[in-house]
């Protein structure tokens, strides 16, 4: 889990040419809630990173170098100058190969929440939540392709990975960006006070008030992560990963 001055979200590591990089959604840094994602011109950015070890909530302020894959692409590459991986497992690889209707999963920290798991090393780790989705379609744009997923996204999953397959074959397809809203009418009813026995019968009818709210349609938008790999290859500044 990460926090900017604007909002909380998710980041995750990938490996490109034996170098470690972290991906997240650009809007977590810029605060742009809707419309095109814009671009980031700053060379560095400081974020609060949740310490994943232990049960206590602790944030570590971390500075990252920035690689922006392109204007209006809701992905940013974060390059820390220190090792952030706390578990000695390989970083994920990126793939753009998937089938329509394919079941995927996505991970993150909904509403800035986490849970704790104990691993074989007897250490407690703060964990993201996992949700399932399906590849519903793909929108080809001039700058990047956008996955359209069938699933329920919540605030806090932004920046999290869309994963395909399991185990050592697991790969990243995309980075969670947003979910599609739909305006819906909500009717609230004002209930009259119930009269006591000593009072006259209450003939007051309940009054209805109509409001319009944004509903979650179950359509998730995620930018495909291959554009981040292309940007990384043009500027390979990540920390070298020890090859075993």
């Amino acid at each position: 889990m990460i926090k900017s001055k604007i909002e909380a979200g998710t980041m995750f590591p990938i490996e490109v040419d034996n170098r470690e990089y972290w991906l997240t959604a650009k809007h977590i840094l810029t605060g742009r809630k809707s419309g095109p994602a814009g671009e980031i011109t700053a060379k560095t950015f400081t974020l609060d990173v949740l310490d994943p070890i232990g049960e206590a909530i602790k944030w570590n302020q971390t500075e990252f170098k920035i690689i922006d894959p392109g204007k209006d692409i809701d992905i940013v590459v974060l390059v820390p100058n220190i090792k952030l991986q706390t578990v000695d497992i390989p970083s994920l690889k990126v793939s753009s190969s998937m089938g329509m209707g394919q079941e995927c999963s996505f991970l993150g920290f909904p509403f800035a929440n986490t849970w704790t798991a104990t691993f074989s090393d007897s250490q407690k780790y703060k964990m993201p939540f996992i949700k399932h989705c399906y590849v519903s379609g793909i929108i080809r744009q001039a700058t990047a392709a956008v996955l359209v997923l069938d699933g329920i996204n919540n605030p806090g999953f932004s920046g999290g990975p869309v994963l395909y397959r399991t185990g050592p074959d697991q790969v990243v397809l995309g980075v969670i960006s947003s979910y599609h809203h739909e305006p819906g009418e909500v009717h609230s009813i004002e209930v009259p006070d119930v009269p006591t026995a000593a009072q006259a019968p209450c003939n007051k009818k309940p009054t209805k008030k109509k409001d319009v709210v944004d509903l979650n349609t179950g359509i998730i938008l995620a930018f495909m992560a291959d554009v981040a790999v292309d940007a990384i290859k043009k500027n390979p500044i990540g920390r070298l990963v020890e090859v075993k």
Side-chain angles (χ1 to χ4, degrees):
M1 192 193 311
I2 56 174
K3 270 195 319 184
S4 68
K5 294 180 180 179
I6 303 160
E7 64 179 291
T10 305
M11 72 173 186
F12 64 95
I14 64 169
E15 185 179 311
V16 179
D17 297 332
N18 296 324
R19 292 181 181 270
E20 180 185 311
Y21 302 89
W22 293 73
L23 304 186
T24 191
K26 186 183 293 181
H27 73 261
I28 294 174
L29 279 63
T30 64
R32 182 169 293 188
K33 294 289 187 180
S34 61
E39 57 186 335
I40 296 179
T41 57
K43 300 298 183 184
T44 62
F45 212 97
T46 300
L47 296 168
D48 289 328
V49 179
L50 180 68
D51 188 338
I53 300 177
E55 294 185 273
I57 298 297
K58 178 184 175 184
W59 297 92
N60 297 319
Q61 198 170 72
T62 307
E63 185 177 85
F64 297 90
K65 294 179 181 177
I66 297 293
I67 301 175
D68 190 335
K71 185 179 180 180
D72 298 337
I73 298 173
D74 196 13
I75 297 177
V76 69
V77 181
L78 303 174
V79 187
N81 56 10
I82 59 173
K83 180 180 179 180
L84 289 183
Q85 284 278 46
T86 55
V87 182
D88 191 19
I89 57 175
S91 297
L92 292 163
K93 304 290 185 181
V94 173
S95 174
S96 58
S97 176
M98 78 289 178
M100 291 299 108
Q102 174 65 50
E103 183 177 7
C104 303
S105 58
F106 61 102
L107 285 74
F109 301 91
F111 305 103
N113 285 311
T114 182
W115 62 284
T116 304
T118 303
F119 288 177
S120 57
D121 60 1
S122 299
Q123 183 66 264
K124 294 183 183 298
Y125 294 91
K126 300 180 193 69
M127 302 292 291
F129 290 85
I130 304 172
K131 283 193 168 189
H132 287 280
C133 59
Y134 297 87
V135 178
S136 180
I138 183 169
I139 301 172
R140 300 285 181 183
Q141 298 181 337
T143 53
V146 178
L147 288 168
V148 181
L149 306 173
D150 177 7
I152 298 296
N153 182 16
N154 306 107
F157 279 103
S158 289
V162 180
L163 302 176
Y164 174 42
R165 305 193 188 105
T166 59
D169 297 326
Q170 192 170 61
V171 294
V172 176
L173 289 179
V175 179
I176 294 291
S177 175
S178 61
Y179 54 89
H180 186 65
H181 294 89
E182 179 182 46
E185 291 185 356
V186 176
H187 295 270
S188 57
I189 298 177
E190 182 183 345
V191 180
D193 295 334
V194 177
T196 63
Q199 295 174 324
C202 181
N203 296 319
K204 181 182 177 182
K205 293 183 179 180
T207 57
K208 293 183 179 181
K209 180 182 177 182
K210 185 172 70 173
D211 293 306
V212 177
V213 298
D214 284 333
L215 302 178
N216 189 333
T217 61
I219 297 174
I220 305 171
L221 302 178
F223 279 76
M224 292 192 69
D226 54 353
V227 292
V229 175
D230 293 340
I232 287 168
K233 287 182 177 291
K234 294 176 182 177
N235 190 14
I237 58 175
R239 185 186 65 85
L240 280 169
V241 177
E242 183 181 353
V243 179
K244 297 183 179 180

